[in-house]
C-alpha cells in the first residue's frame, strides 16, 4: 500500500471509530448509549452502528481529498460539502430515514479532511479548518430572514432569534471547544476509556450552547445554564470515578429523559475530541 493510501485509510478508520466510541459511552444524559435510547425512541445503539459503518466511504473520500488537494482551501470545503450531501443520503438509507449523524457528517467530515491536509502540508489542523471555512456563517446565514420559516433548521432559527452561530460558528473558529477544552481535558482524564469519555462529555456539556438542547426546550435559553450546572455538579462530585458522582450522573440522565432533552450537538463535540484523541494516541 502506498504511503498516501495508508494515511488516508488510518484517518478514515479513526473517524469511524470515533463514531462507534461515542455511542458506546454509558451512561450519557440526553443521548443514545448501549443501554438506553434516551430521549430518542426512534433509534438505538444498533442504528448508530449501521449509520457509522455506512459513512466509512465518506470519510475515506474526505481524507483522500485533504491528502491530495493542492488548491484553495475554501474550494476544498465546497467539494467536501458535496460529498457530505451524498453521505447524508447514504446515512438515511442505512437507518430507515433516522437522523443519527447529520451533524457529525458536517463536523467530523471537516476534521477528517483537514487532518489529512495537515499531514501532507505540515500545517496546523486548526489553521487548515479556519482557512477552509472562512466566511462560512456569513455565507450560510445571509438572507435567512427571507427563507420559508418551515424550511429553517434549528440552528438557523436560533441564529435569527438569538444570534447563535451554533456548530457553523464553532467550526469556522477552528473548533476551539474541542482543541482548547475537550482534548486537553481528555489528556488529563484518568480511569477506563468509558470513564475518561464520560467525564469529557460532562466537561463539554459545561461549556457548550447545544442547539439540540435549546430546540428540545422550545428555545428556552435557560436550559443551557441548567444543563451546565448539572454537569458541573457531577464533575465536582468526582464524576465517573466516585460513587456520589455516578449517583448524580444517573439522576442527571433521568432528568434529561423525563424532560425529553437531547444533547446531540455536544455529542458531536465529543466525537471530534475522540477523533483527535485517537489520532494523537491518547485513546
Amino acid at each position: 500500500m502506498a504511503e498516501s493510501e495508508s494515511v488516508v485509510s488510518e484517518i478514515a478508520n479513526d473517524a469511524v471509530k470515533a463514531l462507534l466510541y461515542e455511542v458506546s459511552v454509558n451512561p450519557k444524559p440526553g443521548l443514545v448509549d448501549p443501554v438506553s435510547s434516551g430521549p430518542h425512541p426512534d433509534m438505538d445503539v444498533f442504528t448508530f452502528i449501521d449509520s457509522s459503518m455506512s459513512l466509512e466511504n465518506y470519510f475515506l473520500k474526505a481524507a483522500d481529498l485533504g491528502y491530495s488537494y493542492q488548491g484553495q482551501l475554501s474550494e476544498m470545503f465546497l467539494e467536501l460539502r458535496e460529498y457530505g450531501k451524498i453521505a447524508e443520503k447514504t446515512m438515511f438509507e442505512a437507518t430507515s430515514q433516522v437522523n443519527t449523524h447529520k451533524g457529525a457528517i458536517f463536523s467530523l467530515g471537516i476534521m477528517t479532511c483537514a487532518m489529512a491536509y495537515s499531514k501532507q502540508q505540515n500545517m496546523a489542523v486548526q489553521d487548515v479548518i479556519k482557512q477552509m471555512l472562512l466566511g462560512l456563517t456569513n455565507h450560510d446565514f445571509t438572507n435567512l430572514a427571507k427563507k420559508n420559516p418551515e424550511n429553517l433548521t434549528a440552528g438557523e432559527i436560533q441564529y435569527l432569534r438569538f444570534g447563535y452561530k451554533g456548530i457553523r460558528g464553532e467550526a469556522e473558529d477552528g473548533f476551539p471547544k474541542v482543541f482548547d477544552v475537550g482534548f486537553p481535558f481528555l489528556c488529563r482524564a484518568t480511569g477506563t476509556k468509558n470513564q475518561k469519555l464520560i467525564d469529557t462529555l460532562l466537561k463539554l456539556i459545561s461549556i457548550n450552547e447545544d442547539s439540540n438542547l435549546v430546540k428540545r426546550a422550545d428555545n428556552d435559553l435557560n436550559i443551557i445554564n441548567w444543563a451546565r450546572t448539572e454537569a458541573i455538579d457531577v464533575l465536582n462530585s468526582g464524576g465517573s470515578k466516585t460513587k456520589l458522582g455516578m449517583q448524580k450522573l444517573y439522576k442527571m440522565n433521568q432528568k434529561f429523559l423525563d424532560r425529553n432533552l437531547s444533547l446531540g450537538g455536544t455529542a458531536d463535540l465529543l466525537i471530534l475530541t475522540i477523533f483527535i484523541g485517537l489520532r494523537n494516541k491518547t485513546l
Side-chain angles (χ1 to χ4, degrees):
M1 182 184 292
E3 181 183 356
S4 62
E5 292 179 356
S6 176
V7 171
V8 166
S9 178
E10 288 173 8
I11 292 173
N13 283 345
D14 281 340
V16 175
K17 191 183 289 187
L19 298 180
L20 295 172
Y21 270 39
E22 184 276 326
V23 77
S24 300
V25 178
N26 170 58
K28 292 198 303 292
L31 296 166
V32 175
D33 62 43
V35 175
S36 169
S37 294
H40 301 278
D42 57 340
M43 56 185 87
D44 59 21
V45 65
F46 298 105
T47 319
F48 274 80
I49 292 171
D50 290 341
S51 176
S52 301
M53 299 311 297
S54 78
L55 296 175
E56 181 179 15
N57 188 56
Y58 166 60
F59 293 120
L60 281 168
K61 291 179 72 173
D64 184 62
L65 175 65
Y67 200 72
S68 60
Y69 203 78
Q70 299 296 323
Q72 293 288 324
L73 290 180
S74 58
E75 296 294 321
M76 182 172 77
F77 172 64
L78 294 179
E79 193 167 335
L80 175 67
R81 230 173 185 184
E82 293 304 309
Y83 293 167
K85 292 175 184 177
I86 298 170
E88 284 185 18
K89 293 179 181 177
T90 302
M91 174 200 73
F92 281 121
E93 289 173 2
T95 62
S96 300
Q97 305 306 309
V98 174
N99 177 13
T100 42
H101 285 126
K102 190 173 180 179
I105 288 171
F106 173 77
S107 56
L108 187 57
I110 291 168
M111 188 72 78
T112 300
C113 186
M115 188 73 72
Y117 186 89
S118 74
K119 289 283 287 184
Q120 62 121 332
Q121 293 288 344
N122 196 27
M123 182 176 171
V125 178
Q126 276 189 286
D127 291 339
V128 176
I129 295 169
K130 289 176 183 178
Q131 289 190 34
M132 285 174 67
L133 305 184
L134 187 65
L136 172 66
T137 51
N138 281 339
H139 175 274
D140 281 11
F141 292 144
T142 297
N143 298 321
L144 269 189
K146 299 177 183 177
K147 192 173 178 180
N148 185 338
E150 293 181 2
N151 295 331
L152 290 172
T153 67
E156 290 169 343
I157 291 170
Q158 288 167 32
Y159 176 78
L160 288 173
R161 290 190 182 181
F162 316 122
Y164 277 7
K165 294 184 178 180
I167 190 60
R168 289 178 179 89
E170 172 70 11
E172 188 176 37
D173 290 340
F175 295 110
K177 287 174 182 148
V178 175
F179 282 98
D180 299 343
V181 180
F183 178 60
F185 185 91
L186 176 61
C187 290
R188 297 190 300 270
T190 59
T192 65
K193 284 182 181 179
N194 192 57
Q195 288 174 320
K196 290 178 180 179
L197 294 177
I198 285 173
D199 291 343
T200 301
L201 173 64
L202 290 166
K203 183 63 177 179
L204 289 167
I205 294 169
S206 77
I207 62 162
N208 193 31
E209 302 92 14
D210 193 306
S211 61
N212 289 84
L213 178 64
V214 174
K215 178 185 177 182
R216 288 288 186 108
D218 293 325
N219 291 311
D220 179 2
L221 295 185
N222 292 318
I223 199 68
I224 294 173
N225 283 333
W226 176 81
R228 287 176 170 179
T229 301
E230 289 284 322
I232 291 168
D233 185 37
V234 177
L235 285 173
N236 287 345
S237 300
S240 65
K241 261 88 75 227
T242 67
K243 183 176 180 180
L244 178 60
M246 287 303 295
Q247 287 174 344
K248 289 189 174 183
L249 178 59
Y250 280 113
K251 288 180 180 178
M252 179 180 174
N253 201 21
Q254 189 60 46
K255 290 176 186 177
F256 272 77
L257 189 59
D258 292 344
R259 298 180 65 175
N260 195 35
L261 297 172
S262 170
L263 286 165
T266 311
D268 289 341
L269 296 183
L270 180 61
I271 289 168
L272 297 179
T273 303
I274 292 169
F275 176 70
I276 298 170
L278 291 168
R279 295 303 305 153
N280 286 274
K281 309 301 182 187
T282 303
L283 285 172

